[in-house]
Amino acid sequence: MALTTRTKILKLFTTKTQCSALARGSRDGFRYDPFRESESLSSFSFFSSSAASAAVAAETASPSAEVLNGSRLFGFLKEYEDYRRNLYGGLTHKALFVDAVGTLLVPSQPMAQIYRQIGEKYGVEYSEGEILNRYRWAYEQPWGKSRLRYVNDGRPFWQYIVSSSTGCSDSQYFEELYKYYTTEKAWHLCDPDAEKVFQALRKAGVKVAVVSNFDTRLRPLLRALKCDHWFDAVAVSAEVEAEKPNPTIFLKACEFLEIQPEDAVHVGDDRRNDIWGARDAGCDAWLWGADVTSFREVAQRIGVQV
């Protein structure tokens, strides 16, 4: 029944070509741009990549000409979520994975503003606009020193980013900037209800983990924000040696929580890294800001009232 329902929805939402692109997304070498707005794929919000691929393989006719209306979508969503709840005793998933930057927490001030403010005493003269453009360019360049950008504390990568963005290679400037982003002053939580929601989820038996492309500063940062105890596990790319959209980091999170990939849903703000990566690992995935806009909504979709 689950595959039948998924296939129906898939036919209504997309052509075979679009679905094939979804399934291969994380294998095409996309790189993460934290300043690019995430593109909504809310139409795929309850598919794993394996289910999408199965639907494509089964669908050999021309794409459906049906026009999806709200009532049909609601009906299919309800059918699928009811199926999941029957599997898990009233819940749609046994575990929730949460992306860090852009979903759980965000910088308190624009990056270019901080780079310039701290950099003025070190001779940085670029405007915030120039810093931002140079940052974007540097971030998109191939990182040839390692297959990972964030190795251990990530210093070599961030030294390259800071010097490329500002034109300043002063080691003292870099250290001040690097340490700033390990403090609670630099970040704030996206959702003020997060703690209450995560407590309710865990009380209901849903395990919660952070899954993030980050260096080893993430754990001390979560402690500084006093939210490290909200989670049953933290999967950091620098520690597990795999960065989203590589499915390995999601599979590591499953291993930490002792669950199967199909038991988990991942919530993140990046279409390629979070949505396609999670689905390639066999997890469900919801796009933050499109499929869900608050952690309370996440909990409600899982079947937990807060």
Side-chain angles (χ1 to χ4, degrees):
M1 187 281 285
L3 182 57
T4 299
T5 303
R6 291 179 175 185
T7 305
K8 288 178 184 177
I9 303 172
L10 186 61
K11 288 172 64 179
L12 291 168
F13 272 120
T14 185
T15 66
K16 289 186 288 184
T17 301
Q18 290 169 321
C19 190
S20 297
L22 171 67
R24 70 171 182 266
S26 66
R27 295 187 290 277
D28 287 343
F30 295 112
R31 293 184 62 81
Y32 173 57
D33 177 359
F35 296 96
R36 170 178 46 76
E37 286 189 21
S38 297
E39 298 177 47
S40 172
L41 283 185
S42 57
S43 55
F44 299 104
S45 64
F46 35 80
F47 281 91
S48 68
S49 62
S50 57
S53 299
V56 170
E59 182 62 33
T60 56
S62 299
S64 171
E66 288 186 79
V67 177
L68 182 66
N69 58 45
S71 61
R72 283 184 66 82
L73 171 59
F74 178 80
F76 285 136
L77 284 171
K78 186 175 186 304
E79 182 180 354
Y80 180 69
E81 290 181 352
D82 285 348
Y83 162 77
R84 298 282 305 191
R85 291 191 176 99
N86 286 335
L87 282 181
Y88 298 128
L91 303 175
T92 60
H93 299 85
K94 292 181 179 180
L96 169 66
F97 297 162
V98 179
D99 169 50
V101 179
T103 306
L104 177 65
L105 50 91
V106 290
S108 296
Q109 301 293 332
M111 173 278 302
Q113 179 180 324
I114 295 299
Y115 276 35
R116 175 164 174 75
Q117 284 179 354
I118 295 178
E120 284 179 343
K121 60 185 174 184
Y122 296 99
V124 173
E125 297 180 349
Y126 290 134
S127 68
E128 291 179 19
E130 289 173 314
I131 290 172
L132 179 57
N133 288 335
R134 291 170 67 93
Y135 180 103
R136 285 172 167 166
W137 178 86
Y139 207 96
E140 285 299 311
Q141 300 311 301
W143 179 240
K145 296 183 184 298
S146 168
R147 64 187 177 84
L148 302 173
R149 290 167 299 169
Y150 309 132
V151 177
N152 297 323
D153 60 12
R155 268 187 165 83
F157 175 75
W158 288 116
Q159 285 172 332
Y160 158 73
I161 292 294
V162 170
S163 63
S164 297
S165 302
T166 63
C168 180
S169 299
D170 189 302
S171 60
Q172 288 184 316
Y173 169 49
F174 171 75
E175 286 300 323
E176 184 173 346
L177 199 58
Y178 182 87
K179 290 175 182 176
Y180 169 80
Y181 279 105
T182 316
T183 68
E184 69 277 11
K185 181 181 179 181
W187 306 88
H188 66 270
L189 296 167
C190 288
D191 187 340
D193 291 332
E195 180 176 14
K196 183 190 302 183
V197 172
F198 293 145
Q199 286 177 343
L201 285 166
R202 294 175 75 189
K203 185 176 181 179
V206 179
K207 297 178 179 180
V208 184
V210 174
V211 179
S212 176
N213 286 353
F214 215 106
D215 53 58
T216 51
R217 289 176 294 172
L218 182 58
R219 291 181 188 274
L221 175 58
L222 294 177
R223 288 194 294 270
L225 292 169
K226 298 180 173 57
C227 64
D228 58 309
H229 61 284
W230 298 353
F231 306 103
D232 298 291
V234 177
V236 189
S237 63
E239 296 176 355
V240 304
E241 299 183 346
E243 294 177 359
K244 298 180 292 185
N246 188 330
T248 298
I249 189 171
F250 298 99
L251 296 175
K252 281 290 186 182
C254 292
E255 181 182 319
F256 295 158
L257 296 183
E258 299 181 332
I259 60 166
Q260 297 301 311
E262 61 267 25
D263 296 335
V265 59
H266 176 71
V267 175
D269 68 313
D270 187 270
R271 177 168 63 107
R272 295 177 177 94
N273 285 354
D274 293 307
I275 306 305
W276 292 356
R279 289 179 180 142
D280 270 357
C283 304
D284 277 343
W286 298 334
L287 187 64
W288 181 260
D291 300 326
V292 289
T293 58
S294 70
F295 287 122
R296 186 182 294 271
E297 184 179 358
V298 170
Q300 288 172 344
R301 286 192 64 170
I302 291 175
V304 176
Q305 299 301 315
V306 182

